[in-house]
Amino acid sequence: REFDLVTPENAMKFSVVQPERGRFDFAQSDALVEFAEAHGMQVNGHVLVWHQQLPDWLTQGRFSGDELKAILREHIRTLVTRYRGRVASWDVAAEAVDEDGRLRDTFWSRGIGPDYLALAFRWAHAADPQARLRYNDYGGEGLGAKSDGIYRLAAGLREQGVPIHGVGLQMHVSLDDAPRAADVRANMKRLAALGLATDITEMDVMLPVPASRFALGKQATLY
């Protein structure tokens, strides 16, 4: 009633969708997409490439770089193709930039190399040319080392002709730790100058509240 887009928390992550190599389980993601369609809602797919919630068969396997490319390509192609025309946008990659603005050292960057990000966007676009493709991260809402790194990553992808359409800002903030509005505006403007949309993808706001109102703690998260 209040909102017209749904994003899965875990239903489309690698460990859930492909718990064993080559065996895809779409029970949770199918249920989410069908719920959205039944209620006239769009779906944002989350997430195709992330360094967390990977299955043991993948992280503990001894795969060559070429084998990992084939695994990731098959995973993206299978998932995006299944929901082609039904999922409006995808978080193709998330949290690939470290706090200092450099690319994060991850399972994928070690196994494939830094070009895994460009490859993931290209594979997702090939699977569904109509879907909006996004890079999503936290801590880069305002101005600083991390947002500079996200900007460099996005600019580099654009320069390579990679099909990226937007950057997602997760906006995990609190009253005591929030970016300056002017800095968020400046960050959005420079991303827009690259031809990229900016999406607020999560917006967790931590507010201090009286302990008596919440049995589990002194803070409430508003989604």
Side-chain angles (χ1 to χ4, degrees):
R1 189 187 65 191
E2 305 287 347
F3 204 57
D4 64 356
L5 183 142
V6 60
T7 298
E9 181 176 11
N10 294 306
M12 291 182 177
K13 289 178 180 172
F14 208 121
S15 59
V16 174
V17 171
Q18 196 177 172
E20 299 175 13
R21 186 176 184 182
R23 182 178 73 81
F24 289 83
D25 184 350
F26 296 112
Q28 294 185 43
S29 53
D30 279 354
L32 182 138
V33 172
E34 290 165 5
F35 172 89
E37 291 175 336
H39 292 82
M41 304 172 78
Q42 296 185 68
V43 178
N44 173 63
H46 176 80
V47 54
L48 297 176
V49 186
W50 193 34
H51 60 280
Q52 297 189 48
Q53 290 184 244
L54 299 173
D56 289 343
W57 68 262
L58 179 60
T59 58
Q60 297 178 13
R62 297 184 176 181
F63 300 107
S64 68
D66 287 341
E67 287 174 322
L68 284 177
K69 284 182 182 179
I71 289 169
L72 184 57
R73 180 173 61 246
E74 178 192 24
H75 180 81
I76 292 173
R77 179 187 58 80
T78 301
L79 185 54
V80 176
T81 299
R82 182 177 185 85
Y83 299 112
R84 181 166 51 206
R86 304 173 70 192
V87 168
S89 60
W90 285 94
D91 292 331
V92 175
E95 301 173 5
V97 175
D98 220 332
E99 309 309 315
D100 60 5
R102 294 183 294 182
L103 284 183
R104 189 186 299 274
D105 178 43
T106 70
F107 171 81
W108 297 113
S109 66
R110 291 190 298 272
I112 297 176
D115 63 335
Y116 80 94
L117 291 165
L119 291 171
F121 276 92
R122 294 189 190 280
W123 292 332
H125 181 69
D128 186 355
Q130 302 305 313
R132 290 183 64 246
L133 306 181
R134 180 191 301 109
Y135 173 77
N136 195 22
D137 213 326
Y138 67 90
E141 292 79 15
L143 297 177
K146 184 157 187 176
S147 65
D148 288 348
I150 293 170
Y151 175 82
R152 287 193 299 270
L153 171 61
L157 293 174
R158 293 287 285 179
E159 289 173 4
Q160 298 174 55
V162 172
I164 176 174
H165 307 119
V167 170
L169 307 179
Q170 293 181 14
M171 201 64 75
H172 301 292
V173 302
S174 71
L175 295 181
D176 297 326
D177 182 22
R180 295 176 62 247
D183 291 346
V184 176
R185 186 180 303 112
N187 191 31
M188 288 181 169
K189 288 182 69 174
R190 66 176 175 175
L191 291 169
L194 295 175
L196 298 173
T198 306
D199 302 314
I200 305 300
T201 56
E202 296 186 29
M203 195 61 182
D204 297 353
V205 182
M206 301 301 293
L207 301 175
V209 296
S212 60
R213 290 184 56 195
F214 291 90
L216 298 180
K218 296 183 179 180
Q219 291 183 318
T221 302
L222 306 182
Y223 294 94

